[in-house]
Amino acid sequence: MVLTAVSSETCKGWYFKLMSEMLYHVKEIGADYFFTTTQSTNRAVFKGWNKVNGMVGGTTHILSCSSPD
């Protein structure tokens, strides 16, 4: 899954529905796993993955700082 976005204001479970459909598709084509990304602080996404026994493969933090010239 390249990109998913849902509104935190509606809270209708759309992310979980999208994720579930992707899982069904992946199983249908015979894949063993698939890759997706999110922010490491996105607790809602991790909660959804926990519902389907998903795993976090890794976490990276990128910090950037710029100074005026």
Side-chain angles (χ1 to χ4, degrees), residues 2-20:
V2 177
L3 182 63
T4 57
V6 292
S7 171
S8 61
E9 295 174 7
T10 59
C11 296
K12 299 288 185 186
W14 281 106
Y15 178 77
F16 187 75
K17 291 174 186 175
L18 291 169
M19 182 182 58
S20 296

